Amino acid sequence: MERQKIKDLIADGDPLLCQFRAALHERVYARVATKGLLGPDATTAWYYPAAEYLSDAAMLYTLEPEERLANWLRTVALDIARTSAYDWAGPAFRDHKEPLTGHLETAHLCWALAAVYDLAKDAFSESEQAEIRQALAEKGIALCRQWIAKNNHLANWRGILTSGVVVAAAVLGDQDTLDEYIPELVRCALAFQPDGSYGESLQYGNYLAYALTLGYESLCRTYPERAAQLDVSTYGRGLHWMVSSLFYQKPMGGSWGTEPRARAANFNDSAAIYRPSGDVLLHLAARSNVPDERGLARYLFETYYATVPTQGPHDLATFGMVNDWGFLTLPLLTHESQSISPKEADLPLTHSFSNGHAFLRDVWDGRTIVAINGGGDPLHGPGHLHGDLNSFILVHNRERLLVDPGHSCYRNLIHGLESSTQTHNTCTFLVEAESLGLQEDKAKATVLEQRSVLPRRLITNGVPGPPIDRGNRRLSVDRQDVVSVVGAEISQACGAPIQHFSRFWLLAGSHVLFVVDRIEASQPVTTIWNWLVNNRDGKAQVNTSNVPGATHLTVRRNEAGMKLFHGSNGTLGHPVYGYVHDAYHVEPANRGAGRPGSGLLYRWTEPAPLQTRTVVHAIALDEAHRIDTWQLRTEPNRYTLTNGHKQWTLETGTNLYRLVSGHGRVWTVASENDRWTLQY
């Protein structure tokens, strides 16, 4: 019995179990002291933390039953069970037309009461247990079933609602419902890409994996043959993507406190402080059949959770997407697993994934990371996308210098803007030549941006349709010695009149990055290069130079410096005050939402429309106090970045890019029949 094993290991002084048992006890009794579900400092409605709060309390009760805790569980669980079906359908902004349909909140309430019924049933009388069973069946399962019946697209929502049904049915022993919906839960896992990455975002991939984790864990102890139908590898393979996407951890400062927090590649709707849910990691460490997946999952848990077991906020742990560990952590810690670091697992330093994400590093735990949303395959679970293809995040010395804006409350008016192409580190285009004056006026002209709302992947007769092509092609992903290259082409995502938009990132060692854009259009367009500088805490020091032939942007953040040179004749405007968000919150104006000016958006704009151009941006990276030593020398089709000691030269030609080091070593990126290769 896991319950007894947990108790025995705690009695024996197992360090991790004792640490997390103490944190669970502290967390639960802080809530017991409030006498209800939400405390006086709550920032969310009751739906959102219900699953986490009740499952935590139920797990502690099954290990350490105590009357105060039993009273709290009865008060809160029965209040939810007795709440009307109308409220079970979700908050006011959800659809409440008759017949009522469940939503994400409904599935969370299923998870909440299912955990209580399974782990803390003894705290309730027979009649109270009957009330919980009735609420799960007639409100939870019934409303979730209604949503699944009305919707036929494949994405995270379907997985969450189906998990709500399966978890509730499992604890109720409703085998007919399990027979009907376990195949549906298996189908939901097909939303992951074949390599385990996910088309929506890191955050939503974790959300879906968490729902599948709950489904598996609700079955495997009582119905192991049914749990075996669920393929853990569909999301277990995504550990390589998760590990590559994580940058480092360090304090955020301000209201986030002084504890170290994760930073990650927050493309699309994802938090910059993303870390995978602790329960998902331990689930994979225990259930995966692949040794390096088990080891990497344990490594991530030990890195991002074991050092900060009491880190909050826990009320946003799943729905609010500031992920945390939960009630499954204690039982899953009883399963032995060994930590394996990315370096020990021999993960590539230059790596791309099916969903279009790619990563360039100098070394693991090194100085420089380039995270790219570029070329990929058709998406198996599209949704929550931004217009951010050929955009990237640039990290040096544990500082994000060029950033993705992230996202805030979905009901914020600015959500559409922060999702748009113009707020990411990629290009937009002015299609009409209007006689406008100021730079900021030009940005309000007819701006061509990428399509980010795609068709849904529909399920017909139980079979998902073909994956959805976003219009981005992978051109190159390679590394030779200290040089890495990634290339992507995205003209189909832009649409007419853009006929070609390829971008190549060439990283040379730790200090030099060249970004090369080739853009062709069927009619003249004016290209705008957008660069979003991280000023989330007001600590960015930015200087600009508009000297012809040497126009550049210098950014310093703490100990990191970046000098970005524009290799064409565009004009650099004054910054637009954009947004950089730390994390999503279900309500507006809460911690995590960036203020105006938390992102400084700099734009270079071409002086006149063109049909064809190849433009190089040269980026030097160094200690903040040394960044001014870097200079760019330009000759026709030749760009040399040097600080007097280190030197790299990029030569451009037709379907050819050549990198030459200061010692005369040569790397060539060349295309033959649209196949790009790196030769050294």
Side-chain angles (χ1 to χ4, degrees):
M1 290 285 293
E2 279 176 312
R3 182 185 292 106
Q4 191 57 49
K5 190 171 183 181
I6 294 169
K7 291 181 176 182
D8 291 345
L9 287 169
I10 290 173
D12 291 342
D14 179 273
L16 268 183
L17 267 169
C18 288
Q19 186 180 23
F20 280 92
R21 177 265 162 204
L24 182 67
H25 189 278
E26 177 185 335
R27 180 191 278 177
V28 168
Y29 275 91
R31 293 173 202 140
V32 169
T34 69
K35 311 297 184 185
L37 182 67
L38 300 179
D41 56 351
T43 64
T44 63
W46 63 278
Y47 311 92
Y48 301 117
E52 286 79 5
Y53 286 10
L54 281 167
S55 60
D56 281 352
M59 178 58 70
L60 188 62
Y61 182 85
T62 201
L63 296 171
E64 303 171 22
E66 188 265 340
E67 188 56 29
R68 275 195 309 150
L69 180 52
N71 286 336
W72 185 88
L73 277 165
R74 283 194 297 271
T75 299
V76 176
L78 291 173
D79 183 52
I80 291 174
R82 293 164 181 167
T83 295
S84 70
Y86 186 92
D87 285 335
W88 270 66
F93 61 84
R94 301 294 192 200
D95 182 6
H96 283 77
K97 296 186 183 73
E98 295 286 351
L100 288 171
T101 299
H103 297 93
L104 297 177
E105 294 84 358
T106 315
H108 282 245
L109 299 182
C110 286
W111 295 340
L113 289 193
V116 169
Y117 188 75
D118 191 44
L119 296 170
K121 188 185 302 183
D122 294 346
F124 298 82
S125 68
E126 289 287 345
S127 63
E128 290 168 342
Q129 291 177 29
E131 283 191 78
I132 293 175
R133 288 196 301 270
Q134 184 178 13
L136 281 171
E138 297 180 7
K139 298 172 188 173
I141 291 176
L143 292 174
C144 289
R145 288 177 68 127
Q146 181 74 1
W147 187 94
I148 296 165
K150 286 175 61 177
N151 294 274
N152 64 340
H153 62 282
L154 187 60
N156 79 85
W157 267 72
R158 193 170 199 86
I160 310 310
L161 273 293
T162 305
S163 174
V165 171
V166 168
V167 170
V171 302
L172 294 176
D174 183 351
Q175 301 205 38
D176 290 342
T177 298
L178 290 177
D179 288 341
E180 182 179 358
Y181 281 92
I182 287 175
E184 185 68 57
L185 197 60
V186 171
R187 191 175 300 119
C188 290
L190 300 178
F192 287 95
Q193 301 291 112
D195 63 359
S197 62
Y198 190 63
E200 294 188 86
S201 69
L202 276 171
Q203 204 81 68
Y204 280 99
N206 178 84
Y207 194 17
L208 178 55
Y210 182 75
L212 297 173
T213 293
L214 290 180
Y216 184 98
E217 296 296 332
S218 72
L219 294 168
C220 66
R221 295 159 182 82
T222 308
Y223 305 107
E225 74 288 349
R226 285 188 164 99
Q229 298 176 52
L230 303 175
D231 186 2
V232 171
S233 70
T234 53
Y235 48 100
R237 286 190 291 268
L239 275 162
H240 289 197
W241 170 55
M242 296 181 211
V243 170
S244 294
S245 299
L246 286 157
F247 299 155
Y248 51 82
Q249 59 176 345
K250 69 177 189 179
M252 295 286 288
S255 62
W256 292 110
T258 58
E259 287 182 333
R261 292 184 183 270
R263 306 292 199 283
N266 59 316
F267 296 118
N268 302 321
D269 285 353
S270 194
I273 57 173
Y274 165 86
R275 57 180 178 170
S277 291
D279 289 1
V280 172
L281 293 174
L282 290 180
H283 161 77
L284 291 173
R287 312 299 186 194
S288 173
N289 293 320
V290 181
D292 86 325
E293 290 177 7
R294 292 198 302 271
L296 288 168
R298 184 67 181 231
Y299 165 84
L300 290 179
F301 183 85
E302 292 182 358
T303 300
Y304 291 97
Y305 287 97
T307 56
V308 285
T310 60
Q311 184 175 96
H314 193 55
D315 62 334
L316 304 175
T318 306
F319 205 103
M321 299 186 176
V322 181
N323 299 335
D324 204 353
W325 61 276
F327 78 110
L328 289 172
T329 284
L330 265 62
L332 290 172
L333 276 172
T334 66
H335 296 257
E336 292 186 6
S337 56
Q338 296 296 317
S339 172
I340 300 174
S341 72
K343 186 175 182 180
E344 290 168 334
D346 199 26
L347 294 192
L349 292 167
T350 302
H351 203 178
S352 77
F353 295 90
S354 178
N355 65 347
H357 296 182
F359 302 90
L360 298 80
R361 282 175 161 86
D362 51 353
V363 295
W364 283 106
D365 297 322
R367 301 183 67 181
T368 301
I369 307 169
V370 185
I372 296 162
N373 200 9
D377 303 320
L379 299 179
H380 289 242
H384 291 281
L385 301 177
H386 291 193
D388 61 349
L389 293 176
N390 276 358
S391 182
F392 67 108
I393 301 164
L394 182 57
V395 176
H396 187 69
N397 282 359
R398 294 165 59 86
E399 288 286 346
R400 293 174 300 138
L401 298 168
L402 296 176
V403 287
D404 185 283
H407 74 304
S408 61
C409 175
Y410 286 117
R411 286 164 286 135
N412 272 351
L413 187 62
I414 65 163
H415 178 65
L417 183 62
E418 67 204 14
S419 303
S420 67
T421 306
Q422 64 178 292
T423 59
H424 292 79
N425 298 301
T426 187
C427 293
T428 50
F429 309 96
L430 296 179
V431 179
E432 297 178 5
E434 298 183 14
S435 298
L436 297 173
L438 299 176
Q439 171 71 20
E440 54 266 34
D441 291 334
K442 284 193 174 184
K444 297 172 186 174
T446 307
V447 179
L448 177 64
E449 299 187 294
Q450 298 168 25
R451 293 179 295 110
S452 60
V453 179
L454 302 184
R456 291 173 167 177
R457 189 181 179 204
L458 301 181
I459 300 169
T460 305
N461 298 324
V463 179
I468 306 301
D469 188 353
R470 192 176 178 185
N472 52 329
R473 294 186 300 126
R474 183 184 298 105
L475 299 179
S476 178
V477 180
D478 207 348
R479 180 185 180 93
Q480 298 289 340
D481 197 36
V482 298
V483 169
S484 297
V485 61
V486 166
E489 201 283 324
I490 66 160
S491 58
Q492 289 185 36
C494 299
I498 305 303
Q499 295 177 315
H500 182 94
F501 176 14
S502 64
R503 172 168 277 189
F504 282 83
W505 295 261
L506 298 100
L507 179 65
S510 303
H511 296 282
V512 169
L513 174 69
F514 289 102
V515 181
V516 187
D517 295 319
R518 184 163 70 87
I519 299 164
E520 298 176 0
S522 60
Q523 67 184 64
V525 297
T526 301
T527 301
I528 301 173
W529 285 268
N530 305 286
W531 306 98
L532 185 62
V533 171
N534 180 12
N535 191 41
R536 59 165 294 277
D537 50 7
K539 292 185 178 180
Q541 302 175 38
V542 185
N543 300 103
T544 61
S545 169
N546 252 327
V547 177
T551 176
H552 64 264
L553 178 72
T554 304
V555 178
R556 294 176 177 85
R557 280 187 58 83
N558 298 318
E559 303 304 315
M562 174 189 77
K563 202 167 185 180
L564 190 161
F565 294 89
H566 176 69
S568 187
N569 59 347
T571 299
L572 177 62
H574 192 76
V576 175
Y577 299 112
Y579 295 82
V580 168
H581 303 294
D582 296 332
Y584 170 76
H585 196 289
V586 293
E587 299 293 341
N590 272 278
R591 180 170 57 171
R595 56 175 175 74
S598 53
L600 300 176
L601 185 59
Y602 287 87
R603 293 166 167 155
W604 267 284
T605 304
E606 287 179 325
L610 297 171
Q611 282 188 267
T612 302
R613 82 283 286 143
T614 297
V615 174
V616 172
H617 287 85
I619 302 176
L621 301 160
D622 212 328
E623 304 284 341
H625 68 279
R626 294 177 180 160
I627 195 64
D628 278 336
T629 64
W630 288 88
Q631 300 297 328
L632 178 69
R633 297 199 306 264
T634 61
E635 305 168 60
N637 301 321
R638 185 179 172 90
Y639 306 83
T640 299
L641 263 180
T642 181
N643 68 349
H645 302 285
K646 296 180 175 67
Q647 176 176 302
W648 286 91
T649 298
L650 175 69
E651 300 172 355
T652 64
T654 304
N655 294 329
L656 178 78
Y657 306 117
R658 182 177 289 113
L659 263 181
V660 184
S661 74
H663 296 93
R665 299 163 69 192
V666 179
W667 288 258
T668 302
V669 183
S671 171
E672 185 174 345
N673 298 323
D674 209 27
R675 287 179 56 86
W676 290 83
T677 58
L678 174 63
Q679 299 171 358
Y680 168 58

